[in-house]
Amino acid sequence: MTAVSARTGMTLRLEPQPGEVIDRNRPLEFTWNGQRFPAYHGDTIVSALAACGERIFSRSFKYHRPRGLLSASFLDPGCTVQVGDEPNVRGAHRRVEPGMVVSAQNVWPSLRYDVKSVNQVVGRFLTAGFYYKTFIKPQRLWPAYERVLRRFSSGGVVAKDSAHGYYDKRYAHPDVVVAGGGPAGMAAAVAAAEAGAAVLLVEEEYELGGHLRWGDAGQLEALRELRAAVAAAPGVEVMTNSVVNGRYDGNWLGIVQRNLPHVVERLVKARAKTLVVAPGLIERPYVFEGNDLPGVMLSTGVRRLVNLHAVKPGQRAVVLSANPEGDAAIDDLARAGVEVAKVVDGRRGPTIQRATGSRGVQAVECADGTVVDCDLLVTAVGWTAPTALLNMAGDRPVYSERAARFLPSLLPDDVLVAGGIAGDGPLEQLTEHARAVGREAAGRAAETARSLCAGIPQIAERRAGPPDPEPAVALPELPVEDHPALFFSGTRGFVDFSEDVTAKDLIAAAEEGYDSIELVKRYTTVTMGPSQGKLETVNAVAVLAAATGRTIAETGTTVWRPPYAPITLGALAGRIFEPVRHSPMQPWHEAAGATPLVAGAWIRPDSYGDPAGEVRAVRSGVGIIDVTPLGKFDLRGPDVPELLNQLYVNKWSRLDVGSVRYGVMCAEDGVVLDDGVTGRLAEDRYILTATSSGAATVQEWIESWLQTERPDWRIHVTPVTTAYASINVAGPRSRELLGRLVEDVDLANEAFPYMRVRVGRIAGVDGCFMWRIGFTGELSYELHVPASHGLRVWEALLERGADLGVRPFGVEAQRILRLEKGHFIVGQDTDGLTQAYGAGLGWAVKLDKPDFAGRTELVWQSRRDDYFRLVGLQPVDGSVVPPEASQIVLGRGIAGRITSSRMSPTLGRSICLGFVAPSLTGPGTQVTVRLPDGGEVAATVMPQHAHFDPEGTRQRG
Amino acid sequence: MLSVPCPWCGPRDETEFSYGGQAHVAHPAEPDALSDHEWSDYLFVRDNPRGPFAERWCHSAGCRRWFNAVRDTVTHSFLAVYRIGDPVPEIS
Ligand SMILES: [Zn+2]
């Protein structure tokens, strides 16, 4: 879209203001709905537009009413816009940049003439509980409802092809985190830092200062002093345009940081010893008829616009003021050249009745009956304490009738409050209190550091944490000042601007019986929109309280949960930082074009392009596979047989030096935990192997027994998974190949038979061990080579075996080979309920051992026959491979499932392993397998798991 | 996220640990001597108190040590950590 020039310039830009944040020496241009607009650096998107006379920035969610500026802050519900391909940008917060392409969301065909505002006419159908009443019956119409509703909803547009932004993650361990960089937050941060704490000061706006920034000369001077103190304080890290988004157990804080160059957002995970919550107060809108018209603004919004951005907010104003902030706004308006036509003092009884106008305020009807023409209505009726972080720390704030806001009640020791959320008072008193809070926060952090280090002498000596605090002094109390309770005038007007929920909706919900605020919230969606109740909650409570004849304190409030502010999924995902494990042979695999397989943390070759060919090479000649991820543990000590006997279902006491044995581990409930072979390399040295995926679990299980149940056993366990590169050499010609590389071990069948281990030298590499086992069902040797020599041995095997037709094979070929041989895989062919007998492992279970993990349960299982069993299965039509997890059905019930299935290159037909119900286990039984597409195929239960060479003659040859 | 005070390494994030359930539930010396009821108590039944709870943790991604802790299930604060084999400390 080619931008056309704006109709106007910055006609509403004021003379330079003392606290303005715009840089008039740096003008820029951006586009809004296809038109070019001028702005200054430091403008927000909306302040720049307002300076050019724009008043409507969005259309509301349900009724498509025109919306303008309200709070001129991040929370402003009417200022959500699309920036380039980024939807839902807070236009009253985001700073405008040169060339920025900004457009309105939720409008059609244009912001000015929105067809969908016809919803205002049909609005009576969009009443309280609309969603609940619509999405009932018939369910088949839901998609249709959704399609219609989506056209009317206010989300922006996500471009599927937008560039992937850079998101970051950081871990921080500050002593004190101060959430909020207003005067109290700055004072607390400085005091904590001066007391020796490492402080993180987090501020949502682009610069520190809070409300001082739009204050008078005295406040601007105080701001300069506080900023200088922060800059001079040792150990204060300041994060602006950042927000503490959640507080979790142990003061674990999620902080979204947005002020970094080239980083869209960074999620800081901070473990703070003390958290000081100092967010200030949020100005509460007033509920009355017409309160959402463009031109109705909060006093803080007006003050921000005039003092920070030098924008004249209107021409002729009515001001409803119930506090000093409102009074100050009157002065600001006068200085900005706005005619203040009428001031209604909210401290003296009735206020205003309604605002009228079509695309903005045109007149205000006061409670005294007077009607005043104006284009601006400013309200200053009170404050909401943003207690979100306190809620997350377990606090349930209590309502103060006197202050007309909620106050903190019972905080945990590691959370403190400062500033307006804690109480009232002149600036001097608030900052004095905040300094005391900051010192206390540092003291508590030091106490925590000391208790954390206690009992760990080497840490206590090395790092003592922050220095000792001053002797504890009780925190000064902050007073609470009287404030009139002004929430609504009558029963009309919007409570929730972002969700288009009116006071009438809440009253209707109460009449329908929804008398709890938590229910009303869910029923009407009040406080569930983008501003998440920060503007609306207390008004909603007040309206409900009036409708149900209760007080606000009796009605209570909703609980704020994380996140405090919106966070992108990118920030949650963070930088891609996932460590992976490779075997030493990985460079070779990559050069050979292997298809990678992600297996847990390991990347391993799935195949080298031809799994079936790889299978045939193993069956007819020789193949080699990298099995380095196999879990390996070096066990030493006289009591190793005791451990093996305790953890495996089979017997281990008579395992000779030079022998290996296959073992099955069960948990205490008899469920198969892992399997693998263990070999005895020397009198008191064993190597235990575990499955690649089960290695971590097995190690924890072994350590649990050694450390907690049998600390008297003399055993030392060393994980050596990555200390050895492991290669399986498999196939009828494996002995011949290995004979060319092994120097000091006699490989003859009689000298090195099946299920034996030998230590020796392979391809010139000392310290290798090899065992003769057969996962593939072929004559095979598993070589374990010191890892740094793994690649050399791998290459030597391929080089010396070239004339034997040696081929590398990947995990896929190995899975086919083992399935042909009927070997199950723990976790693939078993699940969390598979006890040993069900997996067909009865032959391995030695119930005559006095004790082993799982024995009692297996004794129980051995006396029954009502469990599903793993069986070999062959589809009658050998060309059909039922996908894994296909159900086996019997009548209308499920009677099992396929756990593994492949086309066997050796047999030329499909083969499976699967679980079947007790009645179906007999060899030759025909079962029905239901395929995912609904079709059914017949399969035959085989007499044993092995589809190929069930007698096992090949592996013993 | 909890900060778990490993007695060997100091406070570390919960993600470094694995949870081992209630402490002081030993594998029976003679499982065969137990009635079915006693065995199922050992295998399946655990306390679920509101307040201090003695439980096992393993610093899996750290020192790999198992240890015991008393944690308040209401506040999630760790009241004590102690070695396997030591008795439950008195919590004042
Ligand atoms: Zn540790």
Side-chain angles (χ1 to χ4, degrees), chain A residues 249 668 700 707 855 857, chain B residues 18 27 32 39 42 66 76:
Chain A
D249 285 322
E668 287 277 56
E700 207 157 279
Q707 292 179 32
R855 181 177 176 278
E857 290 295 311
Chain B
S18 46
H27 181 78
D32 280 350
W39 172 258
Y42 157 70
W66 283 91
H76 286 187

Side-chain angles (χ1 to χ4, degrees), chain A residues 38 41 93 494 729 858 873 906:
Chain A
H41 273 269
H93 170 81
F494 283 87
V729 185
L858 292 176
L873 287 161
T906 312

Side-chain angles (χ1 to χ4, degrees), chain A residues 710-730:
Chain A
R710 302 285 187 265
D712 52 315
W713 282 347
R714 290 156 301 166
I715 300 171
H716 200 88
V717 180
T718 311
V720 292
T721 300
T722 50
Y724 290 96
S726 304
I727 303 166
N728 198 331
V729 185

